[in-house]
Amino acid sequence: MRRDRIEKAAMSIRCVPRFGYADTEVRMLDLDPPGDGEEALLAALRSWFSAHGVEDAVYDISVDDDGYFAIINDEAYSAAWGTPVL
């Protein structure tokens, strides 16, 4: 019997502070968006932050030469989350 494997595409997204006040930094999150595109990514981001108690963290999503990135409200940086980009 043959079993086909279905692999879910995960992605890492850069999270940048909105204003870049003290103690804010670029961080990475690994997400499994429910589909392709900005709307799916936004839904995954909102869900992730909501599950971590920071419902209003996501300010916007944008794209540059390195792909999508999320702009995060600086208030969200008062707690530890994600992986700091050194």
Side-chain angles (χ1 to χ4, degrees):
M1 175 196 293
R2 182 178 169 202
R3 290 186 179 179
D4 291 353
R5 287 183 26 179
I6 298 174
E7 294 185 21
K8 194 172 189 179
M11 69 178 296
S12 291
I13 184 163
R14 289 171 292 146
C15 296
V16 300
R18 183 173 177 198
F19 293 110
Y21 293 136
D23 299 321
T24 59
E25 60 197 356
V26 176
R27 298 181 186 176
M28 298 292 287
L29 285 181
D30 294 324
L31 299 173
D32 291 324
D36 292 330
E38 190 171 317
E39 290 301 317
L41 181 55
L42 183 58
L45 276 167
R46 285 190 174 144
S47 176
W48 190 93
F49 278 107
S50 204
H52 290 82
V54 196
E55 290 78 16
D56 297 325
V58 182
Y59 177 75
D60 198 8
I61 293 179
S62 193
V63 66
D64 63 13
D65 291 341
D66 293 322
Y68 283 111
F69 64 94
I71 302 167
I72 306 300
N73 289 316
D74 289 52
E75 295 82 12
Y77 287 84
S78 63
W81 56 267
T83 304
V85 176
L86 303 175

